[in-house]
Amino acid sequence: MKFFLDTANLDQIQEGVQLGICEGVTTNPTLMARENISGNENLIEHYREISKRVKGEVSVEVMAEDYTSMVREAIDLSSIHSNIIIKIPCTKDGLNAIHTLTERGIRCNCTLIFSLSQAILAVKAGAAFISPFIGRLDDVGIDGVKILKDIVSAMRYYNSDAQVIAASIRNTRHIIGSIQAGTDIITSPLSVILSSLTHPLTDVGLKTFMEDAQKLK
Ligand code: E4P
C-alpha cells in the first residue's frame, strides 16, 4: 500500500518526500487554486515542479467537461512528465475520454467516484486508477469506508489491474479504514497523515523514557 499526498503545495510535498511518506501526489483544481496559481503556463510549470520532486505518479486533473476538450487537454498535460496521470471525472464524457486516452497509452485516474457501479464502469473504460471519495460520502451520511471496501473487494474478485486510490481523506479513522479495506493507495493531506502518527501512549511512554534517561547520565 502506498501513501500519496493530496496537495499541490511544494513545501508539503518536499516534507512528505523527506519523511518517506510521499510516494505520489494527487491534485485537483481546488488544490491548485489554493496555491494562487493562474494562467496555463504557470499551471504547467507548477505541475512540472511537483513531478520533479516525486518519484511516483502525479495526478493532474483536466478542467474541461466535454469529451473533445478533455482529450485535447489530457494529451497536453501528459507531455509534462512521464509520471503524470490524467484525472478525469466520472461522467459519460469522462468515460469516453478515458477510453480514448487509454488506447493512446495515456494512463487515467477516474475521479469523483461515489459508488461501486461508477468504479466498475470507470475500470471498464480503461482507468488505471479509480478514486472513491470517502470523506464526501461521509458528509452526506453514507459510510465512505464501506463503499471503499465494496470497491476494493470487487477489484480483487475480478482480478482487475486498476489501482484503488482512497481519496477525500479527513481523519485517522479514514486512514485505518482504508488500510483495512486493502486499498492500493491512500491519498491524504499531510496534516491528516501526521495526526495519524500521534498517539497519547507514545507521548506518555516517551516522557517516561526521557525522564529515566536523565537518571542514567
Ligand atoms: C483526490 O484525488 C481528491 O481530489 C481529493 O481527495 C478530494 O478531497 P476533498 O473531498 O477533501 O476535497
Side-chain angles (χ1 to χ4, degrees):
M1 198 220 72
K2 291 182 181 172
F3 274 112
F4 284 10
L5 285 190
D6 197 20
T7 184
N9 184 278
L10 296 178
D11 291 340
Q12 287 181 26
I13 290 168
Q14 198 64 45
E15 192 181 346
V17 168
Q18 180 62 30
L19 286 166
I21 54 168
C22 177
E23 300 171 280
V25 165
T26 52
T27 65
N28 63 35
T30 306
L31 294 171
M32 291 297 280
R34 254 180 229 161
E35 300 308 306
N36 292 317
I37 307 155
S38 59
N40 199 41
E41 279 181 22
N42 292 332
L43 287 171
I44 301 265
E45 191 45 40
H46 198 81
Y47 290 138
R48 190 169 288 119
E49 285 303 315
I50 294 175
S51 298
K52 277 198 257 173
R53 285 167 168 75
V54 185
K55 283 211 186 95
E57 290 90 0
V58 175
S59 282
V60 164
E61 189 158 340
V62 292
M63 299 191 201
E65 277 190 81
D66 66 283
Y67 164 77
T68 309
S69 312
M70 274 197 261
V71 170
R72 198 182 308 123
E73 198 185 337
I75 290 169
D76 285 349
L77 291 170
S78 67
S79 68
I80 296 174
H81 196 283
S82 56
N83 62 0
I84 293 281
I85 304 294
I86 307 299
K87 239 172 149 185
I88 308 261
C90 193
T91 60
K92 190 174 164 194
D93 279 36
L95 290 201
N96 204 349
I98 288 169
H99 194 216
T100 300
L101 292 165
T102 303
E103 288 200 329
R104 293 180 67 142
I106 295 172
R107 291 190 298 161
C108 297
N109 169 3
C110 189
T111 189
L112 289 167
I113 288 186
F114 295 95
S115 71
L116 179 57
S117 58
Q118 287 181 313
I120 296 289
L121 290 166
V123 172
K124 279 278 172 204
F129 299 85
I130 49 173
S131 293
F133 277 35
I134 297 180
R136 292 195 197 188
L137 279 164
D138 281 3
D139 289 346
V140 295
I142 298 169
D143 185 347
V145 169
K146 164 81 173 60
I147 301 284
L148 176 72
K149 277 185 186 150
D150 292 346
I151 291 172
V152 172
S153 300
M155 293 303 131
R156 303 292 176 260
Y157 181 79
Y158 291 115
N159 284 322
S160 171
D161 290 334
Q163 295 188 59
V164 181
I165 306 181
S168 190
I169 297 287
R170 307 265 167 80
N171 51 50
T172 301
R173 191 182 67 78
H174 286 161
I175 294 204
I176 292 173
S178 300
I179 295 167
Q180 288 170 334
T183 195
D184 299 291
I185 298 161
I186 294 175
T187 190
S188 165
L190 181 61
S191 58
V192 178
I193 295 178
L194 293 181
S195 74
S196 76
L197 172 70
T198 60
H199 196 288
L201 290 177
T202 305
D203 298 341
V204 170
L206 183 61
K207 187 168 174 289
T208 309
F209 285 154
M210 290 302 110
E211 284 164 4
D212 288 341
Q214 287 302 320
K215 296 173 195 165
L216 301 173
K217 283 184 182 162

